[in-house]
Amino acid sequence: MHSHILSAALLSSGASAATLYASHYSGTINSLNLNGNSLTIANTTNTGNSLPSWITYDSVGKALYIPDENFFGSSGGNLASFSIDNGALKAGGKGPTAQGVVATTLYGGVDGRSFIANAHYQTSQISTFKLPLTGAQPLQTIKYTMNGVGANPGRQEAPHPHHVFTDPTGDFLLVPDLGADLIRINRIDRSTGALTECGTGKPVRGTGPRHGAFWGNSTLFIANELSNSVSGWKVTYPTSSSGCLTLTVQDTLTPYQGNASAPYGTKVGEIRVKDNFVYSSNRNDKKFSGNDSITQYSISAGGKISWTAISSSYGTYPRTFDINKAGDAVAIGDQTTSNVAIVARDRSTGRLGSQIANLRIGAAGRPENEDGLSAVVWAE
């Protein structure tokens, strides 16, 4: 089915009804209802955080976890939890965090959701909590250091973890470190939640790895903010339970046809994998009449990627985006224009097509500032 046909079907069908959550740097979490081509705010809740930066959605436990990117003053922030009851949010427990949490992920336990890890960009560390949150101090903190500065002194003066996520087996937790040019690998003790550093992937100096996503067990894709590129890494698993996952870079492409360089000021943002396709968001490239873009790559059987298409983000500074489980729609969170755009996706070709709905949430942001819309997820 072609994208324009899919879009028309979504516009006329109740099958597109869905709930999403979007956070705003003003301190709110917003519940959104999508019904056909209508996207509306059902309710807005104060998170209690200075700068809510990310949303981890627990579909099994019906809960949200929202960290605080607060990076000013002497104090940190809180990891806040909310339970979901018929779409309504109820504040739950909290956990005190150091400054600058930009991403979180569930991990460990028999269910893969007994603990939560935090990436602290500002304070060069990761931290973990046992769930549920009770107000107690972190279970574990791993502080990173580096010798000297990196190739980009303005951005690589210190380690800057920007993402935390698990591999498909749930045995390893990975941390792209933009400041140190490393993909840090930790072995997970599922019963205790303890993390043990066990190796690194080493991108080219000055790459600035930001976000990652797996394609099956064999390939990892990393969005590189400083080099404005996406890299594919071959994944090799250890033969013993005490061993470490290893990474070998396979290929690297820019987000543009012919491997063209990104326009000045562009910053690759988030990365997602769906079926045999990889997508990256491209902040501030202004490729679509002032709006920014999303790039689609195709994945070969061996895990290598090829540039396929580029489409509009329907706003500026797409910090975040999420593909629904059905694979027929993408929610794009444009930070500076502070809007969520719902875009049709062709499940066969992976192509992004027409805009289904678009909603402004809260105040617009300012380019290169921590304001506007920060995250969006499908509640599935």
Side-chain angles (χ1 to χ4, degrees), residues 144-151 156-160 177 179-182 184:
Y144 298 131
T145 61
M146 56 189 278
N147 296 322
V149 298
Q156 296 185 306
E157 82 295 349
H160 290 303
D177 187 334
D181 277 327
L182 293 173
R184 301 180 185 272

Side-chain angles (χ1 to χ4, degrees), residues 19 46 48 69 74 98 130 135 178 185 234 316 329-330 354 356 368:
T19 298
N46 194 304
E69 195 178 345
S74 58
K130 181 176 175 55
L178 183 149
I185 306 168
K234 181 181 178 181
T316 61
V330 180
S354 303
I356 298 168
E368 305 298 327

Side-chain angles (χ1 to χ4, degrees), residues 74-157:
S74 58
S75 62
N78 282 289
L79 175 64
S81 66
F82 292 84
S83 60
I84 304 169
D85 184 8
N86 292 324
L89 297 180
K90 180 181 178 181
K94 291 186 176 182
T97 55
Q99 289 182 337
V101 181
V102 291
T104 64
T105 192
L106 301 174
Y107 76 96
V110 296
D111 53 7
R113 40 183 288 275
S114 295
F115 304 88
I116 190 166
N118 310 271
H120 301 251
Y121 180 95
Q122 185 76 11
T123 48
S124 304
Q125 61 189 300
I126 61 171
S127 65
T128 65
F129 290 91
K130 181 176 175 55
L131 297 177
L133 299 173
T134 63
Q137 293 296 313
L139 176 70
Q140 184 178 12
T141 297
I142 300 175
K143 183 80 174 180
Y144 298 131
T145 61
M146 56 189 278
N147 296 322
V149 298
N152 186 329
R155 298 293 309 280
Q156 296 185 306
E157 82 295 349

Side-chain angles (χ1 to χ4, degrees), residues 15 46 48 76 108 139 154 160 166 189 222 250 255 271 332:
N46 194 304
L139 176 70
H160 290 303
T166 59
D189 184 319
I222 296 288
Q250 293 193 115
I271 190 169
I332 302 171

Side-chain angles (χ1 to χ4, degrees), residues 297-312:
Y297 306 86
S298 297
I299 310 171
S300 71
K304 291 196 172 184
I305 54 172
S306 57
W307 185 92
T308 303
I310 190 171
S311 56
S312 178

